[in-house]
Structure formats: C-alpha cells, structure tokens
Amino acid sequence: MFTPAHRRTVKSRLRFVSCCWAAVIWVSSPMLADEKEKDPATLSLEVRVDEIFRGDIPRTVAELRGMEERQTTVVKMAIEATVGIQAGMAHGSGVIISEDGYVLTAAHVVQQAKRQDRKIYLRMHDGKRVLAEPLGLFRTLDAGLVKIIQTSENGSPLKWPFVEMADAKSIKPGQWIVVTGHPGGYKRGRKAVVRIGRITSANKEVIVTDCTLIGGDSGGPIIDMNGQVVGINSRIGRRLSTNMHVPVSTYHDHWLRLSQGDVWGSPPNGRPYIGVRGEVDGEEARVVELVPGQPGEKAGLEVGDVILSFDRRDVDSFTVLQELVSETAPGETVPLRVRRGEKEMLLGIQIGRRP
C-alpha cells in the first residue's frame, strides 16, 4: 500500500463553503484556518460534523455552521490538487496525491498516450501547464497513474499541492463527498468544477455516487469530508444518480505495478471489437471477411485490403492486429493504414464493443 511521504494535517484546516448540496461550487479565495487552541465544545462539534458527513442528520444551527466550515477547506484543497489532463486528442482530469507529483486518473484517459509512448500535459489549478508521463494502467477497473516530470529551471524537482489517499476501510454508503473535475475538458480561466453528493454503494470494484458527471470529469477525484481521496471518476451512469468511480483501494492494492508502468486487464465497458476476420497464420493482415454493420465495414475497409498499420504501429500479421485491437477501448478512434491493390490509404476506425 502506498502512503505519500509528505502528509498534511487536515482537521486543523477544515472549513466549509455552502449548504447547497447539489450545486456547482466556485471557490475564488481561501479562508484562514483557526490557529487557536480548541475548547471541548469545539471538539465535540467536530465529532458531530464527522458523524453527519458519514450519514447522520444535522440537528442544530451550530452543526450546520460546522458543516459549512468543514466543506470550505475541503473544496479549496480539492481544487488545488485537481488537474486537467491533455493526452493528445483526449481530455480528462486527475488528482495529485503526493508532493513529488504522482497523479491518480482513469486508465481510459491516458491509455492511448501510454500505448504510443507519448508524454502528456497537465493543467494546474492556476492554469500553469506542466509535463507528465503516463505510468501503469489497470484497465479492468479503469485505474491509471501519471507522474509529473516537470522540473525547475535549474533541473531540481518541484513540490506540488496534493491531497492524500484515504484508508479504503473508511468508505461507507451514505457519506458525503466532494467531486471535482473539468467537465467538457479544461477551460482557460475556469478552475475545477465542484459537485457535492453522497456515496450510494461501494465495494472493492466500484463506488457509485449521485454526483453528476459528464465528459472531461473522467479521472477527477471524489474526496471525503476529511480531505482525502476515496475514488476516481470513471464512468457516467444511465441515470444522474448512478455514476461509477474507481475505489481508492485499487491504487493501494496495485501501487507497485502501477508505479512500475505495467498495463494489464480489459476495459470495464466491454472487449474492443472491429468486426474484421483474417487468416491467423498468414504472413500479412489481409481482410477475408467483414461483419456487416461493424466498425471495419463502417470505416471503409473492403475484403482483400491488407492492413499495414494500426494506431501508427506496424502490422505484419493478423495475430499482431488482434493484439493491437485488444489494447484499445470501445469508443476510441484510431488511424488505420491499408493497402488496396497498388494504392495505400489512411482510414479512421472507431473501436466497437464485442457483441
């Protein structure tokens, strides 16, 4: 299990911003933490606020104010640690979880950059663009890890704002959480957008919340009211109240493989499929059959075409093509170079889901 070396004290800084649970919250200026020694009444109130954010009901005005104070600093911390991710044509979000720049995200946000061995860029909360590289991907649960590699002008490492990962045992249905991300992709001058909601169910494979997600939020964090990451935005549900997130336990349990850059598993939304059949034992990837209505036919492939490259990687047999297709995800569009007779042409194919 990974624990960031540099941790910050959360409870002494916790302050709250608003009681509008479903609203999108914009934070423009931080509030100062109370540095004074807390009396027993204050400590008792903090205990009650903890209980409320775990699913209890507030009963007094003082408790509502305590909730308000708690959320302000949690939101501020979440925004400072949330980044926008630009990985080629893909846009998503992520969250920094260590001072030296490890970033949790969703595997599908950076998988194409990882496959093509390309660097990516992150947008910080102040708009600064920094260089990073994708590391490991656990595609089955949609967990991805990124490392910031930007250095100072003299080459020394930089320190980054971060929020730590929660203990997975602390995650319970009914608890309040903050979700941040960059819906629609990063927009200049706009900080990460915040939503408030609750965890409706949780297990080792998925957390479900009622926080609305849209494209671009993928990879952003869900953060508990102690200011710790409990999950990562993964998939948009069919209903507004059912959105899926990668549990933080996935990153704890598989940290070594993720940090070493391993890629394993299949996408959670189905096996990739292009509807093309060929000779497995052949010396080239010649198309012998196209499944009607499937991606290959829709992309313009014809029987007899020879596929020369897939996603900018050379293809010298149908077996190689199958392996390359298996590394993609349904919905992803990749370039396809083919030979038809004496001509070569470039097509774009959108990966489908195996029926």
Side-chain angles (χ1 to χ4, degrees):
M1 182 174 72
F2 171 74
T3 302
H6 305 282
R7 297 184 179 274
R8 62 177 67 184
T9 301
V10 174
K11 292 228 174 173
S12 64
R13 304 177 58 223
L14 295 175
R15 294 290 181 270
F16 178 103
V17 76
S18 126
C19 292
C20 299
W21 307 122
V24 174
I25 300 173
W26 302 86
V27 175
S28 58
S29 61
M31 296 180 66
L32 297 176
D34 185 0
E35 300 295 339
K36 296 180 180 179
E37 185 176 351
K38 296 174 181 175
D39 58 32
T42 301
L43 293 174
S44 177
L45 177 59
E46 287 190 352
V47 171
R48 274 294 299 143
V49 170
D50 283 339
E51 293 172 347
I52 293 166
F53 280 130
R54 286 197 296 266
D56 204 351
I57 299 172
R59 295 180 175 86
T60 68
V61 172
E63 289 174 357
L64 289 173
R65 287 173 177 164
M67 295 169 66
E68 186 175 38
E69 291 178 353
R70 174 73 63 89
Q71 192 178 321
T72 296
T73 297
V74 169
V75 168
K76 175 181 179 294
M77 292 168 64
I79 288 177
E80 288 182 350
T82 299
V83 298
I85 295 180
Q86 299 171 291
M89 297 300 291
H91 293 262
S93 304
V95 60
I96 307 171
I97 50 86
S98 68
E99 191 176 57
D100 56 351
Y102 281 99
V103 178
L104 307 186
T105 188
H108 73 267
V109 172
V110 295
Q111 65 179 359
Q112 190 168 16
K114 173 68 176 179
R115 193 169 61 242
Q116 297 175 353
D117 195 27
R118 292 187 301 173
K119 300 295 189 289
I120 62 177
Y121 288 97
L122 309 184
R123 286 285 185 177
M124 309 301 289
H125 68 97
D126 58 2
K128 182 179 179 181
R129 192 172 82 153
V130 301
L131 188 63
E133 63 179 354
L135 297 179
L137 308 176
F138 182 14
R139 300 169 70 214
T140 304
L141 297 189
D142 201 24
L145 185 65
V146 168
K147 181 67 167 64
I148 299 175
I149 57 177
Q150 187 87 25
T151 60
S152 64
E153 291 183 359
N154 63 10
S156 61
L158 296 168
K159 296 181 179 180
W160 308 99
F162 71 96
V163 289
E164 63 183 22
M165 295 193 292
D167 182 345
K169 295 179 181 178
S170 69
I171 302 170
K172 305 293 182 185
Q175 75 181 80
W176 290 96
I177 40 87
V178 167
V179 170
T180 60
H182 289 278
Y186 172 82
K187 291 180 173 56
R188 186 180 298 275
R190 185 191 73 177
K191 294 184 178 181
V193 176
V194 182
R195 281 133 290 178
I196 308 298
R198 286 186 174 185
I199 293 174
T200 57
S201 66
N203 57 47
K204 289 283 288 183
E205 295 187 352
V206 66
I207 293 175
V208 180
T209 76
D210 58 7
C211 290
T212 303
L213 303 178
I214 67 172
D217 282 321
S218 293
I222 57 174
I223 295 177
D224 66 17
M225 291 303 172
N226 289 323
Q228 297 178 321
V229 179
V230 297
I232 295 296
N233 304 334
S234 175
R235 304 184 298 286
I236 301 170
R238 294 182 179 179
R239 296 179 298 173
L240 293 178
S241 59
T242 55
N243 294 284
M244 280 71 78
H245 313 261
V246 186
V248 72
S249 60
T250 303
Y251 298 90
H252 283 305
D253 294 346
H254 301 284
W255 183 264
L256 183 60
R257 293 191 70 178
L258 289 169
S259 61
Q260 290 177 340
D262 290 354
V263 178
W264 75 102
S266 300
N269 55 346
R271 295 177 59 190
Y273 180 71
I274 61 172
V276 175
R277 298 192 177 108
E279 296 179 358
V280 177
D281 298 328
E283 295 182 354
E284 58 186 4
R286 183 178 296 276
V287 177
V288 299
E289 184 181 357
L290 291 165
V291 180
Q294 294 301 317
E297 183 184 68
K298 291 179 179 180
L301 283 172
E302 296 181 1
V303 172
D305 286 350
V306 176
I307 298 174
L308 303 176
S309 72
F310 179 90
D311 197 20
R312 299 185 178 88
R313 289 190 287 178
D314 291 342
V315 174
D316 57 15
S317 69
F318 200 78
T319 299
V320 170
L321 176 64
Q322 290 175 316
E323 292 174 353
L324 295 178
V325 171
S326 72
E327 295 177 5
T328 62
E332 187 176 350
T333 299
V334 301
L336 196 68
R337 185 164 58 89
V338 304
R339 185 176 71 239
R340 182 174 298 164
E342 300 298 322
K343 296 182 179 179
E344 288 190 10
M345 60 186 66
L346 190 65
L347 305 174
I349 185 168
Q350 184 176 43
I351 308 302
R353 184 179 292 105
R354 181 172 291 278

